Amino acid sequence: MHYFEYKNGSMHAEEVPVADLAREYGTPLYVYSASTLRRHFKAFDSAFNGLEHLTCFSVKANSNISVLRMMAELGGGMDIVSGGELFRALKAGVPGNKIVYSGVGKKDHEIREALAADILMFNVESMQELSRINDIALDMGRVARISFRINPDVDPKTHPYISTGMKKNKFGLDIEHSRKAYDLALELPGIDPVGMDCHIGSQLTSIEPFMETLEKLLRFYNELEEKGVHIRYLDLGGGLGITYDQEEPPHPEEFGKALTDALNGLPLTLILEPGRVIAGNMGILVTEVQYLKSTPSKNFVIVDAAMNDLVRPALYQSYHGIGEVEPRGRACKVYDVVGPICETSDFLARDRELPETEQGELLAVYSAGAYGFTMASNYNSRPRPAEVMVDGEKVSVIRKRETYQDLVALEL
Ligand code: LLP
């Protein structure tokens, strides 16, 4: 569900015609809908009302400070994976005690910064990381709250690049190593093991892998309880998928009910780290058709957005819906929608049936609110697009378009 709809024959972002935004702010342009963002956060968060819980928005999905601030105002915490994300979360007004920190490669200075911010917990992914956090905490005269990220060896049945909870993945510790890890954590004076964590992958379209994981974690939780290790937080990560094409992911309510049934009565605070399910469908990428070109085998629409602006199709062969901003009722044709970058992987859609389009017309690429701008680069020396937030009739530029000067600003 989102608020990009056709009204009076043209696509609107809430109350604002998308064509007006393109005229005013240029293309390519990320356009976000504030009502969609709020609605998705509330729908997700309220699905867990039956449990003590904290919804930590996954900053990597969309890290614009205005987006993070909206999440914080709704009571959300943040899931971070770097010092840069910590900096953004704090700048957006998120209190340290609502921040959880995952990632396999936390550096010394990042651990220090997180301890200084008194974050809720580190999701620890290796024994060496545990020892590094202990040393730094002692040096700072602090005790670090931690959980171990458990790798449950569950197949999330998603794209291999975004599967994270299988034996062969670099993430977390298997249960065998986790046993030793909790034993050691109890002995380390700079460490307080308060939680258990996992994140098995992204864009999951069924509940089963989550439940299989939860079952394994709860078995381990009971084992720890018997040993006298009392965990207070259970962090199940993110991963709930959205509809890009034909997928039918479970509604957050269904997900919430399944988890509530499984966890009811346990003295645990559930932590969730949703990214895509909240931000994915709150954004579109608006692009202008530059050229049309037909070869004996293909019809190409060459647009002004490229893989540097939205890399998902190039990287994961992901499907993103594409719609006309001002539909003209023309017959359909099969197109490859491609950008100006000098790579064959630079496409937004392949063999896609779209109404015939012409030079200068606008197209909107859907579901671009998560892992869109955050994965954008300057490849081919292309300044990154502006981001605008629409809220009813109000439009705010939440990130300016980069300039050529920005491209070289740090070069000496
Ligand atoms: N927590 C952790 C520890 C994660 O690594 C991730 C995503 C999340 C939460 C949020 O997952 P979500 O709810 O958004 O599925 N660039 C890829 C997605 C990579 C996800 C990485 N980790 C894409 O565009 O599909």
Side-chain angles (χ1 to χ4, degrees):
M1 174 58 214
H2 56 71
Y3 295 95
F4 297 101
E5 286 164 339
Y6 290 100
K7 294 180 203 170
N8 312 319
S10 80
M11 185 186 289
H12 282 56
E14 305 201 11
E15 302 305 323
V16 182
V18 171
D20 288 359
L21 294 171
R23 250 190 306 275
E24 176 80 21
Y25 304 105
T27 54
L29 180 70
Y30 274 100
V31 178
Y32 304 139
S33 152
S35 306
T36 310
L37 189 64
R38 283 192 215 103
R39 180 190 171 114
H40 287 177
F41 181 88
K42 286 182 193 157
F44 187 91
D45 190 57
S46 64
F48 299 92
N49 276 348
L51 295 170
E52 279 292 320
H53 75 283
L54 178 64
T55 299
C56 291
F57 177 65
S58 193
V59 174
K60 66 178 82 61
N62 190 314
S63 40
N64 188 293
I65 297 175
S66 300
V67 169
L68 302 185
R69 190 167 291 136
M70 282 174 63
M71 298 286 98
E73 280 166 6
L74 293 166
M78 302 280 143
D79 151 51
I80 61 161
V81 291
S82 69
E85 288 191 351
L86 174 65
F87 177 78
R88 285 180 176 277
L90 295 174
K91 226 175 158 51
V94 182
N97 66 5
K98 287 188 175 177
I99 296 176
V100 292
Y101 186 177
S102 308
V104 294
K106 304 176 187 82
K107 292 190 63 158
D108 275 21
H109 74 89
E110 295 177 308
I111 294 169
R112 266 179 203 281
E113 288 153 16
L115 279 169
D118 203 16
I119 64 164
L120 177 58
M121 65 185 189
F122 292 87
N123 292 335
V124 175
E125 308 222 15
S126 67
M127 299 301 263
Q128 288 192 343
E129 182 191 330
L130 179 70
S131 142
R132 183 178 277 186
I133 295 176
N134 180 57
D135 291 347
I136 297 173
L138 291 179
D139 184 54
M140 293 174 71
R142 320 279 289 235
V143 174
R145 283 175 296 276
I146 65 115
S147 74
F148 287 105
R149 176 164 175 179
I150 314 284
N151 182 327
D153 193 26
V154 168
D155 184 354
K157 302 198 171 62
T158 182
H159 191 284
Y161 287 8
I162 54 178
S163 290
T164 51
M166 293 169 76
K167 247 196 321 228
K168 61 185 174 193
N169 302 137
K170 69 178 174 181
F171 299 97
L173 294 164
D174 61 38
I175 297 220
E176 200 44 50
H177 282 97
S178 305
R179 283 196 184 96
K180 295 189 195 113
Y182 279 100
D183 288 344
L184 178 60
L186 284 179
E187 288 170 16
L188 295 176
I191 297 289
D192 184 10
V194 294
M196 187 185 283
D197 164 59
C198 75
H199 169 77
I200 57 170
S202 199
Q203 184 54 13
L204 272 70
T205 51
S206 88
I207 285 191
E208 280 73 43
F210 289 111
M211 300 318 282
E212 194 185 332
T213 301
L214 185 60
E215 210 180 295
K216 290 191 177 186
L217 294 191
L218 286 181
R219 226 176 294 142
F220 188 41
Y221 166 78
N222 288 330
E223 191 184 316
L224 289 177
E225 278 287 303
E226 277 166 27
K227 277 210 295 199
V229 185
H230 301 299
I231 292 250
R232 287 181 275 144
Y233 298 100
L234 179 65
D235 181 343
L236 282 185
L240 197 59
I242 62 170
T243 302
Y244 286 99
D245 185 11
Q246 308 285 330
E247 306 92 330
E248 289 180 355
H251 190 276
E253 208 173 297
E254 195 188 325
F255 184 49
K257 185 172 177 337
L259 294 186
T260 306
D261 289 348
L263 291 170
N264 222 346
L266 289 174
L268 288 168
T269 298
L270 177 65
I271 295 178
L272 299 140
E273 303 175 354
R276 187 186 325 258
V277 69
I278 290 178
N281 283 324
M282 70 108 183
I284 57 173
L285 175 61
V286 185
T287 184
E288 187 189 73
V289 175
Q290 301 299 306
Y291 302 102
L292 295 149
K293 171 161 121 174
S294 291
T295 68
S297 52
K298 290 276 187 186
N299 298 309
F300 292 104
V301 184
I302 302 163
V303 296
D304 66 356
M307 65 187 286
N308 75 295
D309 304 304
L310 180 68
V311 76
R312 302 193 70 259
L315 195 54
Y316 319 111
Q317 291 73 52
S318 318
Y319 179 100
H320 282 261
I322 295 183
E324 297 169 284
V325 170
E326 293 180 304
R328 290 167 165 89
R330 300 191 194 115
C332 282
K333 208 165 165 175
V334 176
Y335 288 111
D336 275 16
V337 181
V338 301
I341 282 185
C342 304
E343 296 220 19
T344 300
S345 61
D346 181 25
F347 61 90
L348 297 173
R350 276 187 163 158
D351 298 322
R352 186 72 58 85
E353 201 163 291
L354 289 172
E356 279 196 57
T357 183
E358 286 181 5
Q359 263 185 311
E361 291 181 358
L362 297 168
L363 297 174
V365 183
Y366 286 108
S367 314
Y371 309 109
F373 190 90
T374 50
M375 294 179 83
S377 75
N378 290 120
Y379 189 37
N380 279 204
S381 285
R382 289 168 50 84
R384 284 178 294 175
E387 294 173 285
V388 299
M389 178 71 76
V390 177
D391 194 354
E393 292 179 345
K394 191 172 150 228
V395 180
S396 317
V397 177
I398 59 170
R399 193 178 204 274
K400 292 194 273 190
R401 183 176 301 284
E402 289 179 356
T403 64
Y404 293 151
Q405 271 312 318
D406 293 327
L407 291 180
V408 297
L410 300 177
E411 291 173 26
L412 306 173

